[in-house]
Amino acid sequence: MRGIMRRTEGLIEGATTTMLVFKRLTAVAVTICALMAGLDRVFAGDGRPSDWQINFQQSATPVMDDIVRFHTGLLYTIIAIALFVLVLLVIVMVRFNARSNPTPSRTTHNTLLEVAWTVIPVVILVAIAVPSFRLLFLQLNTPTADLTVKATGKQWYWTYNYPDHGKFEFDSLMVRDKAKLRADQPRLLGVDNEMVVPVNKTVRVLTIGAEVIHAFAVPSFGIKIDAIPGRINETWFKATREGIYYGQCSELCGKDHAFMPIAVRVVSDQAFATWVDEAKRKWARDDSAPTNFAAAEQTTAR
Ligand SMILES: [Cu+2]
């Protein structure tokens, strides 16, 4: 009789401790989530990295909106699963340790439980796969583009062409001299000539590498695509806010890989038209020049 009493007491004590631990864990998790949600806004850079940033840079395109949404959904799914497993472990440790459960049950196998722990994870994975494939399709299926920009990765800078807007081409080099940086330009990201695009327009980006593989990536736009010699790759973005968005070459390409930033200035339609007019005058391309790189090399070698 006394033995039974002691066991019951142990069980109740165990359950109370479990509840307490569970409550505390929930409180910690809620605090962390609240902090993350709050800090997210404060420290997320807009188009550029920022001090103490702990999450993505702010999104500026529908694709990046989706990436952020998908990422956040996954994060909460993972947290829920991790907490669930943790709670199970705590219950096992508190209620079924040698002291509170001296004579363990010999039960093995439980069909319902075994089916459940197989089927539920499958359902979770399928639920994750649906938005994942939808996002992949959104990224890879370029909608009808309003304009095309060709970005050529070179050692170690980018060259931009606007095939729909006339024959001009310009190089975009990092500003190396700190004294020459504009007040709003971040060090190591600011360039002399930014790639300029109109706001709320679908921009098709074609990438190619001149000599080695580079990669064209702009975090706020949710794009990252290799620029490979001899092959044109394609991606797209539609920037919904004006501003300057920075990215970097994202494929190790040689000694100055870290110093070939990408800067995209998103402007109004009118400002874009004015810029195109200026660009045509400033960087008119000489058509007599050889257009392929092998020929260009031969010319310079001669
Ligand atoms: Cu690189």
Side-chain angles (χ1 to χ4, degrees):
M1 185 66 190
R2 201 183 287 166
I4 293 171
M5 285 283 284
R6 203 178 295 149
R7 270 190 64 189
T8 326
E9 267 168 27
L11 271 182
I12 293 170
E13 204 180 292
T16 321
T17 323
T18 314
M19 279 304 290
L20 198 68
V21 170
F22 181 69
K23 272 187 187 162
R24 286 196 179 151
L25 280 177
T26 317
V28 169
V30 168
T31 316
I32 290 172
C33 289
L35 271 177
M36 277 168 75
L39 293 177
D40 215 31
R41 294 272 140 199
V42 181
F43 296 117
D46 193 12
R48 63 182 74 185
S50 59
D51 292 344
W52 297 99
Q53 186 183 325
I54 56 165
N55 215 322
F56 294 122
Q57 293 177 26
Q58 282 179 39
S59 162
T61 64
V63 168
M64 192 57 193
D65 287 345
D66 258 33
I67 293 175
V68 172
R69 215 173 294 135
F70 184 59
H71 164 84
T72 312
L74 271 189
L75 187 65
Y76 286 127
T77 313
I78 293 164
I79 289 174
I81 293 172
L83 283 180
F84 175 66
V85 173
L86 184 66
V87 167
L88 291 184
L89 281 175
V90 170
I91 290 175
V92 168
M93 287 189 289
V94 174
R95 282 180 60 175
F96 300 100
N97 61 45
R99 196 151 37 98
S100 48
N101 190 35
T103 37
S105 146
R106 297 259 160 208
T107 318
T108 58
H109 292 297
N110 182 316
T111 314
L112 182 70
L113 203 57
E114 282 165 23
V115 170
W117 74 44
T118 311
V119 172
I120 294 172
V122 170
V123 171
I124 293 173
L125 286 181
V126 171
I128 289 171
V130 173
S132 165
F133 285 126
R134 196 190 297 139
L135 175 57
L136 208 55
F137 187 77
L138 182 69
Q139 290 176 311
L140 297 180
N141 185 40
T142 310
T144 315
D146 296 306
L147 77 150
T148 302
V149 180
K150 184 179 161 207
T152 308
K154 296 180 179 172
Q155 279 176 321
W156 288 272
Y157 58 96
W158 294 90
T159 298
Y160 298 107
N161 278 44
Y162 287 64
D164 323 323
H165 289 87
K167 288 174 178 166
F168 66 90
E169 176 174 288
F170 61 93
D171 297 335
S172 181
L173 279 85
M174 187 184 82
V175 180
R176 283 176 180 268
D177 187 356
K178 232 172 149 184
K180 284 186 184 155
L181 278 175
R182 289 196 316 259
D184 64 325
Q185 276 182 319
R187 195 177 71 88
L188 300 178
L189 289 175
V191 298
D192 53 358
N193 301 310
E194 286 126 4
M195 164 180 161
V196 179
V197 294
V199 71
N200 284 321
K201 288 276 167 15
T202 301
V203 181
R204 178 200 288 130
V205 182
L206 303 177
T207 60
I208 190 164
E211 34 359 46
V212 296
I213 303 177
H214 302 269
F216 190 86
V218 183
S220 287
F221 295 168
I223 56 172
K224 177 178 279 179
I225 187 135
D226 276 359
I228 300 167
R231 173 199 159 121
I232 300 256
N233 267 350
E234 179 185 277
T235 186
W236 71 281
F237 69 85
K238 184 181 184 175
T240 50
R241 277 183 292 124
E242 289 182 27
I244 299 189
Y245 300 90
Y246 293 100
Q248 287 176 304
C249 176
S250 299
E251 181 64 67
L252 197 52
C253 59
K255 104 178 151 61
D256 280 354
H257 166 61
F259 309 111
M260 50 179 296
I262 294 152
V264 184
R265 186 146 48 96
V266 180
V267 298
S268 67
D269 282 347
Q270 213 180 355
F272 179 70
T274 318
W275 177 82
V276 168
D277 283 343
E278 267 173 39
K280 274 184 193 160
R281 271 200 303 277
K282 207 163 147 192
W283 297 302
R285 201 171 63 196
D286 180 6
D287 262 357
S288 62
T291 45
N292 74 60
F293 297 108
E297 262 167 34
Q298 276 172 12
T299 315
T300 38
R302 234 178 267 150

